[in-house]
Amino acid sequence: MNSIPRTIFEEEHDIFRDAVRRFCEEEIIPYHAQWEKEGQISREAWLKAGAMGFLCSSMPEEYGGAGADRRYSIILMEELARAGASGPGFSLHSEIVAPYILRYGSEEQKRKYLPKMAKGETIGAIAMTEPGTGSDLQGVKTTAIKDGNEYLINGSKTFITNGQMSDLVILVAKTDPSAGAKGTSLILVETGTDGYRKGKKLEKLGLKAQDTSELFFDDVRVPQTQLLGEEGQGFIYLMQELAWERLQVSIGAVANIEAVVDWTIDYTKERKAFGQTIMDFQNTKFKLAEAKTQAVVARTFVDKSIDLMLKGELDAETSAMGKWWTTDLQNKVIDECLQLFGGYGYMWEYPIARAYADARVQRIYAGTNEIMKDIISRKL
Ligand SMILES: Cc1cc2nc3c(=O)[nH]c(=O)nc-3n(C[C@H](O)[C@H](O)[C@H](O)COP(=O)(O)OP(=O)(O)OC[C@H]3O[C@@H](n4cnc5c(N)ncnc54)[C@H](O)[C@@H]3O)c2cc1C
């Protein structure tokens, strides 16, 4: 039952969705439990996703992408979220890291990195957060100081998605530590560069198959040609991409809410107590009626936001509204649905238990929900 039909996709997107769904069923879901134990997904999964054209699909063909509109990337995000497959950091790689290189990179940087990223041979990460600063990005302490033809980099980063597996990181550093936000620049650092070390794979409450790491930079030297865009513009570049990045979180949240509601309907129709199904209890019906309503309302807002984003009209405030509201809702709906599973809902082998653990961080990363409200309130 979908009372408000989706209108943002065309027929070719539906065909693509079928292929992505098959890919998730064959190449992701069967391995996910093992990846959770290993704390990261396999290289093969990246290469297979690349071979299928699922990575960097919105990059132009000349840089190895499919030149497709962002709806194809959105389908991949939705299908992974629907499957509860939180391990692959594909969307961060394809729709956050690669677009920075496309938008601000030199021709040489684009040719060097983007085709390999589209194939899954080079895995990308972005390192903003530091042990001492997350929400307040102006407080970044990592420095990249000009020294001859090079930058000399010192500092550390934490909570970096794809950190352990990444071959390339966009590093947020101060090239002029005295200039605050205006002294912030983005620098491309390759794994294997002397002095660049990866720390622990961090143990987390959820997202067990997603690699999240510390990164250390001790007297790392990179040529000045590794600067992304212009010096001192890093903060502005980061701000410009945020609406799309936050919308991606909302897209995952809503797809996950829809899946959770479906799982719960199926379960409660099967499970019996007191001579009837769990669904037969009025409490269950009302809880699921509420959850379904919330899913439809959230979906309508997010699809409209996607529509605006595709037209280049999604502003920071609307994107922030979607991010906090859908992720808060995701946590609420999962909690209510988990209750209807009884003890089984608490068992890791049940997707609802994983969804519960995975969803918590949605309110924290990509800008905390408090920061979202701050952004919205500035325009009131
Ligand atoms: C699984 C995971 C993956 C991540 N991936 C990445 C990644 O790939 N790259 C990356 O750079 N970072 C990543 N992060 C970091 C994430 O973006 C930060 O954790 C987040 O921005 C919050 O920063 P913080 O942890 O330093 O919290 P803090 O900034 O210390 O915030 C602590 C609390 O204070 C509140 N607070 C802070 N400022 C305000 C304010 N002005 N008004 C009201 N309340 C406020 C916050 O909302 C929060 O509740 C990831 C984090 C996690 C957990």
Side-chain angles (χ1 to χ4, degrees):
M1 179 190 83
N2 210 353
S3 47
I4 302 183
R6 302 188 73 182
T7 53
I8 54 171
F9 296 109
E10 323 279 335
E11 205 184 322
E12 59 264 32
H13 295 108
D14 297 337
I15 297 165
F16 183 78
R17 188 184 292 278
D18 288 341
V20 172
R21 202 167 279 187
R22 260 197 319 279
F23 175 78
C24 289
E25 280 161 9
E26 290 166 13
E27 306 293 351
I28 303 290
I29 297 165
Y31 304 101
H32 209 271
Q34 184 56 32
W35 294 339
E36 284 171 8
K37 291 193 184 108
E38 290 163 8
Q40 63 183 51
I41 75 165
S42 68
R43 277 257 162 199
E44 290 71 45
W46 281 93
L47 295 172
K48 281 180 187 162
M52 292 292 291
F54 295 159
L55 299 177
C56 303
S57 52
S58 65
M59 292 295 113
E61 287 178 49
E62 56 179 320
Y63 301 121
D69 68 69
R70 282 180 168 165
R71 285 175 289 181
Y72 290 88
S73 301
I74 289 171
I75 289 169
L76 183 64
M77 292 171 208
E78 288 181 350
E79 289 304 311
L80 287 169
R82 205 185 66 85
S86 56
F90 295 159
S91 74
L92 178 114
H93 166 91
S94 300
E95 288 299 337
I96 296 180
V97 179
Y100 280 111
I101 299 173
L102 179 72
R103 194 154 172 193
Y104 305 112
S106 64
E107 194 54 32
E108 197 190 333
Q109 287 168 344
K110 287 192 261 195
R111 295 213 176 276
K112 184 171 180 195
Y113 296 120
L114 292 177
K116 286 191 169 178
M117 287 182 74
K119 286 190 187 140
E121 291 170 2
T122 292
I123 298 173
I126 179 156
M128 300 174 266
T129 308
E130 300 187 350
T133 192
S135 302
D136 181 13
L137 274 183
Q138 301 197 31
V140 159
K141 293 264 183 302
T142 298
T143 52
I145 305 299
K146 260 186 190 154
D147 187 25
N149 292 330
E150 296 173 325
Y151 284 108
L152 178 64
I153 304 170
N154 279 292
S156 63
K157 298 286 174 179
T158 194
F159 305 153
I160 306 307
T161 304
N162 294 343
Q164 203 71 211
M165 295 192 82
S166 64
D167 306 288
L168 179 70
V169 61
I170 298 179
L171 178 73
V172 178
K174 291 270 172 70
T175 39
D176 181 355
S178 62
K182 288 185 183 145
T184 307
S185 302
L186 307 185
I187 298 191
L188 295 163
V189 184
E190 295 177 15
T191 296
T193 308
D194 279 351
Y196 170 30
R197 191 166 53 81
K198 294 174 181 183
K200 285 201 299 273
K201 204 188 285 172
L202 298 165
E203 282 186 32
K204 307 187 292 299
L205 173 69
L207 303 183
K208 300 266 185 208
Q210 197 172 98
D211 109 55
T212 310
S213 292
E214 299 172 307
L215 306 177
F216 299 103
F217 303 85
D218 297 308
D219 287 334
V220 175
R221 288 182 175 277
V222 298
Q224 275 181 36
T225 49
Q226 291 302 91
L227 176 72
L228 193 58
E230 285 176 39
E231 209 174 86
Q233 293 295 302
F235 208 75
I236 292 164
Y237 296 160
L238 290 171
M239 295 302 120
Q240 280 169 359
E241 299 293 328
L242 283 177
W244 168 223
E245 290 169 13
R246 288 175 180 152
L247 176 59
Q248 293 177 40
V249 177
S250 308
I251 289 167
V254 175
N256 192 235
I257 290 170
E258 289 170 339
V260 163
V261 173
D262 287 346
W263 302 337
T264 313
I265 292 170
D266 289 347
Y267 182 83
T268 54
K269 281 185 175 171
E270 288 290 321
R271 176 85 178 166
K272 292 206 169 74
F274 298 96
Q276 52 184 343
T277 68
I278 304 295
M279 181 59 116
D280 288 328
F281 297 116
Q282 191 189 48
N283 177 64
T284 309
K285 289 182 200 166
F286 281 13
K287 289 289 177 202
L288 284 169
E290 285 170 15
K292 184 71 191 177
T293 308
Q294 288 160 331
V296 171
V297 173
R299 158 64 58 218
T300 310
F301 182 89
V302 169
D303 274 6
K304 182 66 190 172
S305 299
I306 292 172
D307 189 32
L308 288 172
M309 181 276 297
L310 292 168
K311 292 183 194 144
E313 293 170 8
L314 181 68
D315 61 36
E317 295 76 35
T318 311
S319 169
M321 287 175 190
K323 197 272 176 184
W324 88 256
W325 193 77
T326 59
T327 58
D328 262 24
L329 183 68
Q330 182 186 12
N331 279 258
K332 256 186 242 146
V333 169
I334 295 174
D335 186 44
E336 297 273 20
C337 285
L338 189 148
Q339 187 70 13
L340 298 174
F341 276 74
Y344 293 97
Y346 198 67
M347 296 299 126
W348 194 253
E349 68 184 280
Y350 277 71
I352 187 95
R354 292 178 158 102
Y356 182 84
D358 289 346
R360 188 61 185 85
V361 77
Q362 292 265 85
R363 289 154 59 192
I364 298 170
Y365 60 18
T368 66
N369 285 6
E370 292 73 35
I371 295 294
M372 295 306 102
K373 291 172 195 175
D374 194 49
I375 291 168
I376 299 158
S377 68
R378 279 180 221 158
K379 282 280 171 80
L380 299 181

